[in-house]
Amino acid sequence: MIIELIGYIGSIIIVVSMLMTSVIKLRLLNMLGGIIFSVYALMIHSYPTAIMNIVLSIINLVNIHKLMAKEKKYSIVKLNSEDSFLRFFLYQHESDIKIFFPNLEIKRNYDYAYIVCYQSNPVGIFLGMAGEENSIEIKIDYVTPAFRDCSIGSYLYEYISARKGISSLTFKKPTEEHRKYLLRMGFIEKDDSYVKAF
């Protein structure tokens, strides 16, 4: 019974890994499931299955190392908030964006509008309004699921901090999920807002 349970656990983890949108998470879970399934295969003396899963786990480990070691090179395109491509991006990702930014206003005019690209593909968006004391009030700081490792945020905030006259970023009343991200990115809670000073 315990041996079969180990096999089921390994199989479930492998299946769940295929639901991951992040390539790194997919490979990590797939590797874990492969290791557990290898143990199961060895316990039932199914050596070809064990060897296959061990090899697949090693391949996953090598690819994880490559993904972690590879420096992601981003570029930022400054847009007008009425730009048709910006509106297209917002419409394309509207349902996912609203999970983190339920008050999304696609047709609103923003003082700051940036799209972050990876290998010429748009993967993130930043929309903000001019705030008090040379700050930007963030309205949307969205990244597509495969790139949610904070690297885009770090690149974007470094880019913004280098702009003359910008002293801080603020975000008011974030969702719980986005609040966790803001804290990871160095924002400090202040009243009902989160502030990152430069």
Side-chain angles (χ1 to χ4, degrees), residues 6-169:
I6 292 170
Y8 283 124
I9 291 170
S11 299
I12 289 168
I13 292 174
I14 289 171
V15 170
V16 169
S17 75
M18 303 310 291
L19 301 173
M20 297 292 106
T21 53
S22 166
V23 177
I24 292 177
K25 286 180 183 177
L26 185 153
R27 290 199 175 274
L28 278 170
L29 275 179
N30 201 273
M31 181 178 70
L32 176 63
I35 291 168
I36 293 171
F37 204 77
S38 297
V39 171
Y40 166 74
L42 288 170
M43 293 173 84
I44 63 169
H45 306 290
S46 178
Y47 300 114
T49 304
I51 291 168
M52 180 189 73
N53 278 283
I54 289 168
V55 170
L56 288 175
S57 295
I58 292 169
I59 290 169
N60 275 317
L61 183 63
V62 169
N63 281 302
I64 288 167
H65 175 72
K66 286 180 180 177
L67 286 168
M68 298 292 281
K70 186 179 179 182
E71 183 183 353
K72 292 179 181 173
K73 294 187 177 178
Y74 300 114
S75 55
I76 290 178
V77 179
K78 186 177 180 180
L79 300 174
N80 183 296
S81 63
E82 296 179 356
D83 188 278
S84 57
F85 184 77
L86 173 62
R87 297 280 167 85
F88 171 76
F89 184 91
L90 290 172
Y91 278 118
Q92 284 291 102
H93 300 278
E94 183 176 4
S95 58
D96 192 38
I97 292 173
K98 283 191 171 180
I99 294 172
F100 305 97
F101 309 95
N103 299 320
L104 168 67
E105 296 178 56
I106 291 178
K107 293 185 178 180
R108 179 175 180 176
N109 288 326
Y110 296 92
D111 297 322
Y112 298 91
Y114 303 111
I115 281 188
V116 183
C117 298
Y118 175 69
Q119 295 180 346
S120 301
N121 298 310
V123 294
I125 191 165
F126 178 96
L127 299 173
M129 301 298 292
E132 298 175 357
E133 299 178 0
N134 298 322
S135 70
I136 297 176
E137 183 184 339
I138 301 170
K139 295 299 182 181
I140 297 172
D141 183 5
Y142 171 80
V143 174
T144 54
F147 289 83
R148 288 179 187 159
D149 61 359
C150 296
S151 60
I152 287 181
S154 298
Y155 179 81
L156 180 63
Y157 297 155
E158 187 176 327
Y159 173 87
I160 292 172
S161 69
R163 304 303 95 188
K164 288 183 178 179
I166 304 299
S167 60
S168 64
L169 298 172

